[in-house]
Amino acid sequence: KLEDFQEFVGHIVGATKSNVVHLLSTITLIERYFEMKNRFDEGSHNIHHRIFLAALLVSFKYINERSVLNSAWEMICDDYYTLEEINTIEREFLQILAYDV
Protein backbone atom coordinates (compact mmCIF):
# COMPACT_ATOMS: atom_id res chain seq x y z
CA LYS A 1 0.00 0.00 0.00
CA LEU A 2 1.25 3.46 -0.84
CA GLU A 3 2.17 5.72 2.01
CA ASP A 4 1.00 9.25 2.60
CA PHE A 5 1.62 11.48 -0.43
CA GLN A 6 3.93 13.84 1.45
CA GLU A 7 6.02 10.91 2.71
CA PHE A 8 6.10 9.40 -0.79
CA VAL A 9 7.35 12.68 -2.30
CA GLY A 10 9.94 13.08 0.44
CA HIS A 11 11.18 9.54 -0.12
CA ILE A 12 11.38 9.86 -3.92
CA VAL A 13 13.02 13.30 -3.83
CA GLY A 14 15.55 12.09 -1.27
CA ALA A 15 16.30 8.82 -3.07
CA THR A 16 16.82 10.57 -6.41
CA LYS A 17 18.74 13.48 -4.87
CA SER A 18 16.52 15.80 -6.87
CA ASN A 19 17.78 19.35 -7.18
CA VAL A 20 15.89 22.60 -7.66
CA VAL A 21 16.01 22.31 -11.45
CA HIS A 22 14.42 18.85 -11.35
CA LEU A 23 11.72 20.03 -8.97
CA LEU A 24 10.90 23.20 -10.93
CA SER A 25 10.67 21.14 -14.10
CA THR A 26 8.43 18.66 -12.28
CA ILE A 27 6.12 21.44 -11.12
CA THR A 28 5.98 22.85 -14.66
CA LEU A 29 5.03 19.44 -16.08
CA ILE A 30 2.38 18.98 -13.39
CA GLU A 31 0.90 22.39 -14.23
CA ARG A 32 0.82 21.44 -17.91
CA TYR A 33 -0.78 18.11 -17.03
CA PHE A 34 -3.67 19.90 -15.31
CA GLU A 35 -4.19 22.10 -18.37
CA MET A 36 -4.93 19.02 -20.48
CA LYS A 37 -8.44 17.65 -21.00
CA ASN A 38 -7.45 13.99 -21.00
CA ARG A 39 -5.83 12.82 -17.77
CA PHE A 40 -5.19 9.74 -15.68
CA ASP A 41 -8.23 8.12 -14.10
CA GLU A 42 -8.73 10.68 -11.36
CA GLY A 43 -10.82 8.27 -9.34
CA SER A 44 -7.68 6.30 -8.60
CA HIS A 45 -6.73 6.25 -4.91
CA ASN A 46 -3.09 7.01 -5.74
CA ILE A 47 -3.55 9.59 -8.50
CA HIS A 48 -1.28 12.18 -6.85
CA HIS A 49 1.50 9.64 -6.47
CA ARG A 50 1.22 8.73 -10.16
CA ILE A 51 1.24 12.33 -11.37
CA PHE A 52 4.24 13.27 -9.23
CA LEU A 53 6.22 10.16 -10.15
CA ALA A 54 5.54 10.62 -13.86
CA ALA A 55 6.46 14.30 -13.84
CA LEU A 56 9.67 13.74 -11.86
CA LEU A 57 10.70 10.77 -14.01
CA VAL A 58 10.13 12.71 -17.24
CA SER A 59 11.95 15.73 -15.79
CA PHE A 60 14.99 13.60 -14.98
CA LYS A 61 15.06 12.12 -18.45
CA TYR A 62 14.68 15.53 -20.06
CA ILE A 63 17.31 17.34 -17.95
CA ASN A 64 20.01 14.73 -17.40
CA GLU A 65 22.39 13.61 -20.10
CA ARG A 66 22.38 10.13 -18.60
CA SER A 67 18.90 9.22 -17.55
CA VAL A 68 17.95 6.80 -14.82
CA LEU A 69 16.49 3.58 -16.22
CA ASN A 70 12.93 2.72 -15.27
CA SER A 71 14.23 -0.41 -13.57
CA ALA A 72 16.16 1.89 -11.20
CA TRP A 73 12.98 3.93 -10.63
CA GLU A 74 11.32 0.68 -9.56
CA MET A 75 13.98 0.27 -6.86
CA ILE A 76 13.67 3.96 -5.89
CA CYS A 77 9.92 3.49 -5.48
CA ASP A 78 10.54 0.70 -2.96
CA ASP A 79 8.21 -1.64 -4.81
CA TYR A 80 5.24 0.76 -4.68
CA TYR A 81 5.07 0.28 -8.42
CA THR A 82 6.25 -2.54 -10.64
CA LEU A 83 8.43 -1.86 -13.65
CA GLU A 84 5.43 -2.44 -15.90
CA GLU A 85 3.38 0.10 -13.93
CA ILE A 86 6.18 2.67 -14.09
CA ASN A 87 6.48 2.18 -17.84
CA THR A 88 2.72 2.60 -18.23
CA ILE A 89 2.60 5.68 -15.99
CA GLU A 90 5.40 7.32 -17.99
CA ARG A 91 3.90 6.44 -21.37
CA GLU A 92 0.41 7.64 -20.40
CA PHE A 93 1.79 10.87 -18.90
CA LEU A 94 3.74 11.60 -22.09
CA GLN A 95 0.67 10.82 -24.21
CA ILE A 96 -1.44 13.20 -22.11
CA LEU A 97 1.17 15.92 -22.72
CA ALA A 98 1.26 14.94 -26.42
CA TYR A 99 4.98 14.25 -25.90
CA ASP A 100 5.53 18.02 -25.71
CA VAL A 101 8.02 18.35 -22.88
Side-chain angles (χ1 to χ4, degrees), residues 3-99:
E3 57 191 40
D4 175 72
F5 178 68
Q6 187 173 359
E7 292 173 11
F8 178 77
V9 169
H11 170 76
I12 299 299
V13 168
T16 58
K17 298 181 177 144
S18 298
N19 62 37
V20 173
V21 175
H22 294 121
L23 297 176
L24 288 174
S25 176
T26 299
I27 291 167
T28 301
L29 290 175
I30 290 170
E31 287 176 345
R32 291 186 51 222
Y33 166 85
F34 281 108
E35 293 172 357
M36 307 309 271
K37 291 182 181 182
N38 295 323
R39 300 186 194 153
F40 290 131
D41 175 11
E42 295 191 3
S44 173
H45 69 282
N46 63 350
I47 185 67
H48 299 107
H49 297 75
R50 293 169 57 91
I51 293 169
F52 180 79
L53 177 62
L56 185 62
L57 187 153
V58 170
S59 292
F60 259 84
K61 289 186 176 184
Y62 182 78
I63 292 169
N64 297 341
E65 289 183 27
R66 293 180 55 166
S67 72
V68 178
L69 297 174
N70 285 5
S71 57
W73 282 95
E74 179 184 23
M75 291 172 36
I76 290 167
C77 288
D78 283 340
D79 298 323
Y80 296 123
Y81 294 106
T82 65
L83 179 58
E84 183 178 319
E85 289 171 320
I86 292 169
N87 291 336
T88 300
I89 290 168
E90 178 186 19
R91 184 177 55 254
E92 289 176 356
F93 187 78
L94 287 167
Q95 288 171 344
I96 289 166
L97 297 180
Y99 293 87

